[in-house]
Amino acid sequence: MNPGVKKALIITKKITFFILKALGVFILLLLVFIGANLTKIDRTPYKKMPYYRTTMERIKSLKNTPVPVVNNKTDSIKVGWGKADFTPNHPVHLAGYGDRYGNSVGLQDSLRARAFVFDNGDRKVAMVTIDLLIVPPTILAVIHQQLSTIGFAKENVYFSATHSHNSVGHWGSRVVGRLLAGSYEQSVVDNIAHAVISAIKQANQTKEYAQLGYVKINAKDLLYNRLVREKGIVDPWLRLLKIKKQSGKVATLFTFAAHSTCFASERKPISGDYPNRVIQLLEKSPRIDFAAFFAGAMGSHAPIDVPGGNDYEQLENISTKMSALVLDKIDSVSTKANKQLFMRSLKIDLRAPQVKISEDWRLRPWLFYALYGDYPAYITALRLGDLVFVGTPCDFSGELVPRFDAVSQRKGVETIITSFNGGYVGYITDDKWYNVNEPETRHMNWFGPYNGAYFTEVIQKVIETM
């Protein structure tokens, strides 16, 4: 054999041996890392856990806080509304499914923050919804810093989002947030926060005496249970608050449980999805001056498909039908004066995170916190006349909503559940589906099991205090 060839073969063998050895060491270290950071799912009943006892103690304190007395100097409440745009003027990373990675393509509709301010003379509360996937903790922190400049505090601002999966990202500061929403950009966060502050300020400046009315509209044909299909139930109600000012101007705040996912992941226009299209159609009517959408109990529900249709046909289908349902009812919704107004906030403790990789195995909590962060979670509750809005820090499942009917009837109120109040703890679904191998229950049920029952009990007890 040629000495040069022989030498080359020896070198090649050494390189190959080195590569295989390095690969073997890497695989061994990986297996050790995985072994050290996997553990069994903790299925201890939630009522036996310390986090449950801590939260129950907080609820006792809440119960001992008296309901504010209404000042009867006037017989009505003042209401104002406002909006502010934060549509980017260049391609951005969309916040939605993981396979939406990359920049947006085109503009379907503008993105806005929308706000109401309610003032009964003794206290005032703002309700804010943002055309975002969620209300991210990073944006909420900036908003909280600025609220005092316009005469508000975080304890009297109720948040939700429209949950569009085609809205702007760049607000996630940790690994998981960046995977969902792209690189973190402070300028984007500041721009959205500024829009929220501007919308609240505008709403506060346009207050007039107003009356309130409410209606539930059955819209069961516009959504389905995407988690377990016909095995489960749906929350079919389009819930509608009508506000009529002394001047005659009319606004509506509405909620619905279908995810804002008319656009498939390969479609990447900037858009507020069907909530924005419904608002456009409502505000074209001379009967509605302003409209805003707050995400309902979206955890298990999707908008109805259009057989053989594309994304834009699905968007137009649900939007046209939903706006028609609203316009058909809006004139017949009677309004009345009601000054009851106050808000509560309850910090809710959770089990250590249990991000599942299989039915029985999970990542260790420290790894979740390193990738996602550790943010406080709250239940927020707003009493507005005979309505109780309950804000949740999650995708809250519509299958759980009927569990609040009994306590609502005892209190003589209507309860409206909304999602995405500024914290985010993943999906909260019916516990009987905890082992179902679907994204909502396998990958995004971060703090289970038994959170369906736990959140239900906590919310029921909060409603009792309202």
Side-chain angles (χ1 to χ4, degrees):
M1 181 181 291
N2 186 297
V5 173
K6 186 176 180 179
K7 185 177 181 180
L9 287 173
I10 292 172
I11 294 173
T12 301
K13 286 181 180 179
K14 288 182 177 180
I15 293 174
T16 302
F17 176 76
F18 176 79
I19 292 173
L20 290 174
K21 184 178 179 180
L23 183 60
V25 170
F26 173 76
I27 292 173
L28 179 62
L29 291 174
L30 181 62
L31 291 174
V32 170
F33 178 81
I34 292 173
N37 288 288
L38 291 183
T39 186
K40 295 279 286 185
I41 296 287
D42 179 6
R43 297 180 185 271
T44 305
Y46 75 95
K47 290 189 177 184
K48 295 183 178 181
M49 298 290 287
Y51 72 85
Y52 173 78
R53 293 191 291 272
T54 300
T55 301
M56 291 301 110
E57 287 300 318
R58 292 197 186 107
I59 290 175
K60 286 182 182 178
S61 298
L62 209 64
K63 288 181 177 179
N64 292 331
T65 305
V67 174
V69 177
V70 176
N71 185 329
N72 290 315
K73 289 180 181 178
T74 60
D75 63 354
S76 189
I77 196 169
K78 285 185 176 181
V79 187
W81 51 75
K83 60 186 177 182
D85 192 285
F86 61 88
T87 311
N89 56 11
H90 58 275
V92 294
H93 192 291
L94 300 178
Y97 303 119
D99 53 0
R100 268 188 171 81
Y101 212 85
N103 285 338
S104 59
V105 180
L107 174 66
Q108 175 71 14
D109 49 75
S110 297
L111 305 176
R112 295 185 175 91
R114 291 172 178 262
F116 295 92
V117 168
F118 301 89
D119 188 340
N120 71 352
D122 293 315
R123 64 195 62 86
K124 62 181 178 180
V125 172
M127 296 186 73
V128 178
T129 181
I130 316 174
D131 288 338
L132 289 175
L133 180 70
I134 62 175
V135 178
T138 52
I139 293 176
L140 191 66
V142 177
I143 295 169
H144 283 169
Q145 291 172 359
Q146 299 177 17
L147 283 173
S148 61
T149 65
I150 57 171
F152 285 81
K154 64 181 181 180
E155 293 79 15
N156 60 359
V157 182
Y158 183 102
F159 284 97
S160 184
T162 58
H163 200 49
S164 170
H165 288 58
N166 274 66
S167 184
V168 61
H170 301 297
W171 38 253
S173 59
R174 294 295 187 99
V175 174
V176 172
R178 290 170 187 263
L179 289 174
L180 280 173
S183 62
Y184 182 82
E185 294 185 17
Q186 189 64 48
S187 61
V188 172
V189 170
D190 291 341
N191 186 45
I192 296 171
H194 177 72
V196 170
I197 295 297
S198 296
I200 296 174
K201 186 176 180 180
Q202 183 186 139
N204 194 43
Q205 292 171 341
T206 59
K207 298 192 304 286
E208 295 180 27
Y209 285 113
Q211 294 187 340
L212 310 178
Y214 175 74
V215 68
K216 289 167 61 177
I217 305 170
N218 194 328
K220 63 182 177 61
D221 295 332
L222 300 184
L223 81 173
Y224 67 97
N225 187 318
R226 73 178 196 177
L227 176 61
V228 290
R229 305 303 195 274
E230 66 280 354
K231 294 179 183 178
I233 63 172
V234 297
D235 174 23
W237 300 105
L238 172 61
R239 294 172 173 87
L240 178 72
L241 169 65
K242 177 181 176 180
I243 305 164
K244 187 172 183 180
K245 286 184 175 181
Q246 196 174 42
S247 63
K249 291 184 177 180
V250 172
T252 180
L253 182 164
F254 64 105
T255 74
F256 195 55
H259 259 69
S260 303
T261 50
C262 288
F263 291 106
S265 57
E266 63 270 18
R267 304 277 190 185
K268 297 197 288 188
I270 293 172
S271 175
D273 210 273
Y274 81 81
N276 270 11
R277 181 60 180 146
V278 174
I279 288 170
Q280 289 173 5
L281 294 172
L282 293 179
E283 292 183 346
K284 282 183 179 179
S285 167
R287 291 177 285 163
I288 296 178
D289 299 283
F290 184 84
F293 177 89
F294 284 59
M298 288 185 166
S300 302
H301 295 7
I304 199 70
D305 296 322
V306 178
N310 62 31
D311 303 347
Y312 296 94
E313 289 173 340
Q314 183 188 19
L315 176 74
E316 199 64 23
N317 178 58
I318 187 173
S319 301
T320 301
K321 290 179 178 178
M322 188 176 295
S323 59
L325 288 172
V326 173
L327 291 172
D328 182 58
K329 291 287 186 181
I330 193 68
D331 289 339
S332 62
V333 178
S334 60
T335 59
K336 63 180 181 179
N338 199 320
K339 293 191 64 180
Q340 188 68 271
L341 175 69
F342 64 96
M343 185 170 167
R344 296 196 189 279
S345 182
L346 173 74
K347 187 175 186 296
I348 179 169
D349 281 14
L350 299 165
R351 188 187 300 261
Q354 302 207 99
V355 180
K356 293 186 285 185
I357 64 166
S358 70
E359 184 172 320
D360 296 312
W361 291 89
R362 63 181 171 107
L363 298 177
R364 289 194 181 275
W366 80 266
L367 190 55
F368 172 83
Y369 288 134
L371 296 173
Y372 176 72
D374 185 5
Y375 305 103
Y378 292 84
I379 297 296
T380 46
L382 170 63
R383 177 72 185 261
L384 180 60
D386 297 327
L387 305 178
V388 173
F389 288 86
V390 178
T392 60
C394 55
D395 284 83
F396 192 84
S397 174
E399 287 196 280
L400 303 174
V401 169
R403 300 181 186 183
F404 307 118
D405 289 347
V407 63
S408 299
Q409 289 171 6
R410 286 198 304 272
K411 292 291 293 184
V413 299
E414 287 279 352
T415 296
I416 303 170
I417 304 294
T418 63
S419 298
F420 319 116
N421 69 356
Y424 191 69
V425 300
Y427 279 78
I428 302 299
T429 55
D430 193 316
D431 295 319
K432 66 185 176 184
W433 311 127
Y434 183 67
N435 292 323
V436 172
N437 188 11
E438 292 290 343
E440 296 183 6
T441 46
R442 175 60 57 85
H443 306 302
M444 293 290 290
N445 197 325
W446 291 338
F447 294 91
Y450 314 126
N451 270 327
Y454 175 50
F455 270 69
T456 295
E457 182 178 345
V458 169
I459 292 172
Q460 287 171 338
K461 290 181 182 298
V462 169
I463 295 170
E464 289 279 12
T465 74
M466 302 299 288

